[in-house]
Amino acid sequence: MVCISGVLSTSTAAEVCFNELGCFDDLPPWGGTAQRPASILPWHLEEIGTRFLLFTQQNRHYQEIKTDKSIQASNYSRMRKTRFIIPGYLEKGDEDWPQDMCKVMLKWENANCIAVEWKKGVKTQYAQAANNARVVAAQVASMIKFLMTDYRSFLCFVPPLILCSGLDPAEPYFQDTNSSVHLDTSDATFVDVIHTDGLPFNSKLGLGMSHPMGHIDFYPNGGELMPGCSTNRGKPTDLDAIWEGTKKFDACNHVRAYQYYSESMVKSQGFVGFPCSDKGSFDAGKCFPCAHDKCPLMGHDADRFNVMDGVSKMKYFLNTGGSEPFGRYSYRITVTLDGPSLPNLGFLYVALIGENDNTEEYQLHLGALIPGRNYELLIDAEVNVGNVTEVNFRWNNHIPDPWNPKYGAAKVELQRGKDKRM
């Protein structure tokens, strides 16, 4: 999640309390419910081990900051926006992705980027990690309050936050819970969510929530199975071992959310979200192209979208690539075929030539070539060609033809997805 220290005071069987942070109990809605059956108290602060790692354009490596006057020796500045990067699941070998995201962000934005590290508190059994997260959230709120009181500068902060981006929020222990437990629109002035692993946990081991929960919710590739990833393998009973890192698990679908977000800081136009009711309608081209100002950008620039009624009632769909770069640029191309009156079997191909770059060649049609017929294709281009200057058209015989027929394009129409531009 991208958004948004205390001394142990007292502890009882039902709650644990920390100075400044308050008390945490194990009663509903936090435990003892159908969605959160285990009643578990959070660990002590030392066991969770939360650290706040500050990155700015002035320091190449992080500076650890605390809620005390030592921050005056850091590069934190009240003149800049402040962003927090808070991880959930940590894939082995990629535990420091929040730090990497800060480094990418600072190439494009002069901000205070704070990576919140709580590796000790998250690498444990799942229900324990879910409850440790409550304390981490309180620690983040405490840090925000401290910075606001002492420095009075903020983008995202003590409730209500300005902006909060959910990166495939976890389903177990959070879906169908009380609104105080999971992310929703009350948590910030603007909440956007990216869903990438939304298959049901109990049957398909999907780690992410599928339900809309933000002001706008993005479903790249349908939000369940990402290109370049395999289906999740395992059983629900494996969750603790997966979270602890003791069982091998490919979390490719789940971690795609933060990978898309990171790339969106560099190539925002490659992540245009199309309003659509469902994936089937989107794949059929029924939601193409965008109406005027109706398509938000998934990721870092999502907050530029103006939600007129406060909460958008539409899901947003888009396609991505299966590997970096993930961003895609959408077009609809229609070719009216010209040629001999008798149909022949063959292939039709098209490619886009632009001011900035050229696309690969795409197969427009395979089968009977019928003059006068329109052949249409939705293209998710792998590069941003800029303004299209020409469309290359090519055909091949499906089988050798002694009559040597010749075909051409009587008419070519091209429409850009993000703005209807022809």
Side-chain angles (χ1 to χ4, degrees):
M1 182 181 296
V2 183
C3 66
I4 19 185
S5 313
V7 178
L8 181 63
S9 174
T10 62
S11 178
T12 68
E15 68 176 18
V16 60
C17 299
F18 305 98
N19 290 337
E20 300 178 7
L21 301 183
C23 296
F24 304 84
D25 61 43
D26 58 1
L27 300 175
W30 304 105
T33 66
Q35 296 79 17
R36 300 171 72 97
S39 295
I40 297 176
L41 292 174
W43 284 348
H44 294 171
L45 304 184
E46 295 79 8
E47 296 174 289
I48 297 174
T50 306
R51 298 200 302 160
F52 295 92
L53 310 180
L54 171 67
F55 291 83
T56 72
Q57 292 182 345
Q58 284 67 50
N59 52 288
R60 186 173 180 181
H61 302 288
Y62 69 77
Q63 298 171 324
E64 184 174 356
I65 60 174
K66 300 179 180 180
T67 53
D68 57 35
K69 63 181 181 180
S70 64
I71 195 172
Q72 296 174 4
S74 75
N75 287 325
Y76 177 84
S77 172
R78 62 190 179 122
M79 304 304 294
R80 296 189 290 257
K81 292 180 180 179
T82 301
R83 299 183 185 269
F84 287 79
I85 314 296
I86 310 170
Y89 175 78
L90 295 176
E91 187 173 38
K92 188 175 182 179
D94 197 23
E95 292 91 344
D96 292 326
W97 71 260
Q99 298 184 39
D100 296 334
M101 183 178 285
C102 277
K103 293 173 183 177
V104 173
M105 183 182 296
L106 292 171
K107 292 179 180 179
W108 304 92
E109 180 180 31
N110 185 17
N112 304 302
C113 188
I114 300 174
V116 181
E117 182 186 281
W118 59 297
K119 295 177 183 178
K120 293 192 294 183
V122 75
K123 282 285 188 178
T124 182
Q125 293 188 351
Y126 184 83
Q128 184 65 66
N131 280 283
N132 289 346
R134 299 163 58 192
V135 173
V136 176
Q139 290 175 298
V140 172
S142 176
M143 174 60 76
I144 290 171
K145 184 177 180 181
F146 169 76
L147 294 174
M148 288 185 71
T149 301
D150 287 54
Y151 292 90
R152 304 187 185 283
S153 99
F154 271 89
L155 167 72
C156 160
F157 312 121
V158 163
L161 306 179
I162 300 300
L163 167 66
C164 189
S165 299
L167 306 182
D168 202 42
E171 175 186 333
Y173 271 62
F174 294 96
Q175 185 154 292
D176 298 324
T177 58
N178 183 281
S179 61
S180 63
V181 176
H182 64 76
L183 178 67
D184 72 0
T185 55
S186 69
D187 291 321
T189 302
F190 184 84
V191 176
D192 63 289
V193 182
I194 301 175
H195 302 266
T196 58
D197 195 15
L199 286 172
F201 173 75
N202 287 332
S203 59
K204 302 292 185 179
L205 210 65
L207 295 181
M209 274 196 268
S210 59
H211 297 172
M213 66 191 75
H215 293 93
I216 54 177
D217 286 73
F218 295 96
Y219 294 83
N221 313 298
E224 296 180 347
L225 180 62
M226 300 300 104
C229 299
S230 60
T231 55
N232 296 350
R233 293 187 174 91
K235 304 183 295 294
T237 52
D238 296 332
L239 182 59
D240 284 341
I242 290 171
W243 219 258
E244 290 175 302
T246 58
K247 182 177 179 63
K248 187 176 181 180
F249 179 74
D250 184 0
C252 178
N253 293 294
H254 191 53
V255 302
R256 277 288 193 259
Y258 79 75
Q259 293 172 345
Y260 296 159
Y261 189 99
S262 290
E263 187 177 309
S264 76
M265 291 187 279
V266 182
K267 300 177 180 179
S268 62
Q269 295 299 318
F271 297 93
V272 176
F274 293 79
C276 211
S277 59
D278 56 72
K279 183 178 185 297
S281 298
F282 173 72
D283 289 343
K286 296 179 180 178
C287 306
F288 185 101
C290 287
H292 180 66
D293 293 333
K294 298 297 183 182
C295 288
L297 299 174
M298 183 180 80
H300 192 62
D301 290 331
D303 61 319
R304 294 185 180 182
F305 184 63
N306 184 21
V307 181
M308 298 299 294
D309 58 356
V311 179
S312 172
K313 296 179 173 60
M314 188 66 69
K315 299 178 179 179
Y316 295 87
F317 291 82
L318 63 152
N319 290 327
T320 73
S323 60
E324 294 181 345
F326 296 109
R328 291 295 182 264
Y329 306 86
S330 301
Y331 298 86
R332 174 186 278 147
I333 186 167
T334 305
V335 175
T336 304
L337 193 64
D338 188 20
S341 56
L342 294 177
N344 290 279
L345 297 179
F347 299 85
L348 300 179
Y349 300 93
V350 291
L352 306 183
I353 311 300
E355 293 177 343
N356 300 333
D357 210 335
N358 306 328
T359 72
E360 63 182 20
E361 198 171 56
Y362 298 93
Q363 182 176 295
L364 175 64
H365 177 69
L366 165 62
L369 305 182
I370 304 174
R373 175 172 291 185
N374 291 332
Y375 295 91
E376 184 179 283
L377 179 68
L378 289 174
I379 294 174
D380 289 309
E382 74 283 5
V383 294
N384 184 4
V385 301
N387 292 325
V388 177
T389 56
E390 61 181 275
V391 177
N392 282 356
F393 169 79
R394 182 172 70 87
W395 75 280
N396 273 342
N397 281 9
H398 186 62
I399 55 176
D401 190 327
W403 297 101
N404 193 27
K406 296 184 182 300
Y407 291 90
K411 183 179 180 182
V412 177
E413 294 181 349
L414 183 69
Q415 189 175 45
R416 191 161 64 182
K418 70 176 184 178
D419 56 10
K420 293 187 177 181
R421 184 169 178 175
M422 303 297 287

